[in-house]
Amino acid sequence: MSHSVLFVCVHNAGRSQMAAGFVTALSGGAVEVRSAGSLPADRVNPAAVEAMAELGIDISSAQPRVLTTDAVEVSSVVVTMGCGDACPYLPGRRYEDWELEDPAGKGVEAVRPIRDEIRRRVTELLASLD
């Protein structure tokens, strides 16, 4: 069975974009991934782009997207990262809520530990899908 993961945060500019980048890189493209935000920003957080580039993962072309019910419907796993009540709940999906510091407005030094925690959680998530 193929898996599809949706990462949701408020601005879809930092945490969810880094998580999506890790899923693509660590699964070798085997897991379909989407990310979205309840109030998407204009662009991906430059510190998140830089932090991921340090690991050889390029998320510079990613664009923040608005969260839709359709995105939830086509995903087998929905990971929320502090989007509160804006996340639609649909039966038959696996939901996880990851408490992560918001990297918005922070420099790359502050984003690195958030990035590393996301990588740890994505690794666990991918292992649980097999």
Side-chain angles (χ1 to χ4, degrees):
M1 176 188 163
S2 64
H3 293 281
S4 176
V5 181
L6 169 65
F7 293 101
V8 184
C9 65
V10 177
H11 300 299
N12 189 215
R15 295 165 290 187
S16 53
Q17 294 286 359
M18 288 190 285
F22 277 127
V23 167
T24 300
L26 298 174
S27 75
V31 174
E32 191 178 9
V33 65
R34 292 175 185 78
S35 67
S38 47
L39 292 166
D42 297 330
R43 63 190 178 117
V44 174
N45 180 336
V49 172
E50 184 179 342
M52 293 298 283
E54 291 175 351
L55 302 180
I57 300 173
D58 181 10
I59 60 168
S60 62
S61 62
Q63 281 296 312
R65 289 185 167 76
V66 69
L67 176 64
T68 64
T69 305
D70 289 349
V72 177
E73 285 176 348
V74 297
S75 301
S76 49
V77 181
V78 179
V79 178
T80 57
M81 303 171 168
C83 65
D85 299 333
C87 298
Y89 182 85
L90 296 175
R93 305 291 173 286
R94 173 176 154 194
Y95 284 85
E96 291 191 15
D97 185 52
W98 294 358
E99 292 280 333
L100 294 162
E101 191 179 344
D102 189 345
K106 295 180 168 65
V108 71
E109 298 79 15
V111 173
R112 282 184 194 116
I114 302 168
R115 171 202 68 195
D116 294 343
E117 175 62 13
I118 291 170
R119 176 171 51 187
R120 186 187 71 74
R121 291 181 188 214
V122 164
T123 301
E124 286 179 4
L125 175 67
L126 291 174
S128 76
L129 294 179
D130 296 331

